[in-house]
Amino acid sequence: MIKNKRHLLHILKVSSERLDYILTHLDEFYYSFDKVKIDKLTGKPKLDGNGNIKKRTINSSKGDLKNIQSRIYKFLSSNISFPDFFFGGIKGKNNILNARFHQGNKYVFTTDLKSFFPSISHKRVYSTLITLNFTPDIARIITRLITRNGQVPQGIPTSTLIANLVFQPTGQIISDLAIKHKIKFTIYVDDMTLSSSQDFKYLIPSFLKILMDNGFKISHDKTFYKTKNPVVTGVVVHNNKLRHQPGYNKIVMRLKNDDRAQKSLIGVLAYLKRIDEA
């Protein structure tokens, strides 16, 4: 796909000297912070089993590195076609369309891939780029530009795109098994959904084994098999319509009573409207 450094420099719009500097000073182009996990329905921080506030570490890029990552994202997204089962990080798709895809199916299985981004190592990123016909030298450079501390950081322009690419072979195995049994399958970033008009609970261990055999883990507290009003990527799926989760009514009331939150209120109302119109 990119065969030499000259071509790479053209894609990244950077000089060889500047690229070399960035590669030897990568830490200068990152800033990290802990972000408290907020329960969208209550507006309060999420707590773990010990009552401690849950947090996730965000590693954001800046300056020339962020610009380079954005150009890598643009190049890859323009030259790669993703299977239909991807709904996250794909232009024209979102969590609402993901939920609508499963509408009408009685049996729905949902799970969350645990520590999804950190679980993707720089070695898997490099191997994925090699399969995309990047030369080893170019794959090595790009891997260094889009990973940090040996893994995919959450919070940079290429995070979801490269995670999709690495997950794609695993997703294809799951998709093939799902199609064989007339089951619908999608993944939205780290949220996986399977659904069917027929009971397929006996197949769940097979799907989970595929994930584990390929180095992925699931969040057991976010794993459900439902037959009534399942929540798929944050949207309640009924047989003939989609609805927002009831807790959003409290969110709207809370924002209406906060003069400083009017911009957030507009965003939430627009989101709820998109669900109603889906």
Side-chain angles (χ1 to χ4, degrees):
M1 190 170 282
I2 298 180
K3 300 298 184 181
N4 54 61
K5 191 173 181 180
R6 183 179 180 182
H7 186 198
L8 177 66
L9 295 173
H10 174 72
I11 297 297
L12 302 185
K13 293 181 171 56
V14 66
S15 69
S16 179
E17 293 76 17
R18 185 57 177 167
L19 179 60
D20 290 342
Y21 177 86
I22 293 170
L23 288 170
T24 55
H25 299 81
L26 284 170
D27 282 344
E28 293 182 9
F29 296 90
Y30 279 102
Y31 63 99
S32 302
F33 59 94
D34 288 333
K35 185 176 182 180
V36 174
K37 294 184 178 182
I38 301 296
D39 187 323
K40 292 181 180 180
L41 301 185
T42 65
K44 299 179 180 179
K46 293 182 178 179
L47 304 177
D48 62 20
N50 296 317
N52 300 313
I53 293 177
K54 291 184 177 182
K55 299 178 181 179
R56 67 164 55 92
T57 299
I58 304 297
N59 290 286
S60 291
S61 53
K62 60 183 179 180
D64 285 347
L65 178 60
K66 185 174 183 178
N67 293 334
I68 284 173
Q69 290 167 344
S70 295
R71 290 167 188 142
I72 292 173
Y73 169 85
K74 182 178 180 181
F75 177 81
L76 290 175
S77 59
S78 299
N79 288 276
I80 295 173
S81 297
F82 285 93
D84 291 339
F85 56 75
F86 281 114
F87 274 75
I90 304 296
K91 187 176 181 180
K93 292 187 175 183
N94 55 46
N95 68 303
I96 300 173
L97 293 177
N98 180 69
R100 190 173 72 176
F101 183 77
H102 296 278
Q103 191 174 321
N105 280 341
K106 179 179 179 180
Y107 301 91
V108 179
F109 173 77
T110 57
T111 192
D112 179 273
L113 301 181
K114 189 175 183 179
S115 301
F116 185 44
F117 292 108
S119 72
I120 300 175
S121 70
H122 67 288
K123 292 181 180 179
R124 296 189 76 169
V125 173
Y126 173 81
S127 297
T128 297
L129 293 175
I130 291 296
T131 65
L132 294 172
N133 294 321
F134 287 91
T135 63
D137 286 345
I138 299 303
R140 193 172 295 110
I141 292 173
I142 294 178
T143 297
R144 292 181 62 194
L145 290 169
I146 61 177
T147 61
R148 190 187 190 199
N149 298 328
Q151 61 191 34
V152 173
Q154 186 171 356
I156 67 172
T158 49
S159 293
T160 300
L161 177 70
I162 199 66
N164 283 349
L165 287 173
V166 172
F167 183 80
Q168 184 169 324
T170 304
Q172 193 60 60
I173 298 172
I174 293 173
S175 179
D176 291 344
L177 179 60
I179 291 172
K180 179 179 179 180
H181 294 276
K182 298 181 179 180
I183 298 170
K184 288 186 174 182
F185 159 61
T186 61
I187 184 161
Y188 179 80
V189 190
D190 56 358
D191 291 327
M192 192 177 93
T193 306
L194 295 157
S195 70
S196 176
S197 59
Q198 303 295 320
D199 188 355
F200 63 97
K201 192 173 184 178
Y202 71 99
L203 282 171
I204 298 303
S206 297
F207 286 114
L208 297 182
K209 186 176 186 301
I210 292 171
L211 290 171
M212 292 183 286
D213 285 350
N214 285 275
F216 298 100
K217 300 178 181 179
I218 67 166
S219 298
H220 292 283
D221 59 341
K222 297 180 181 179
T223 299
F224 305 96
Y225 186 77
K226 291 189 173 183
T227 59
K228 185 177 181 181
N229 301 338
V231 176
V232 176
T233 49
V235 180
V236 182
V237 180
H238 294 279
N239 188 48
N240 57 357
K241 63 181 177 179
L242 302 180
R243 292 187 63 183
H244 62 268
Q245 296 183 70
Y248 272 101
N249 297 327
K250 293 182 179 180
I251 294 177
V252 171
M253 291 303 297
R254 185 176 72 249
L255 294 177
K256 283 183 176 180
N257 293 324
D258 186 347
D259 293 335
R260 299 169 298 178
Q262 294 310 296
K263 186 175 181 179
S264 296
L265 175 62
I266 292 172
V268 170
L269 291 176
Y271 172 68
L272 299 182
K273 183 179 180 182
R274 290 199 300 272
I275 294 176
D276 292 337
E277 294 177 349

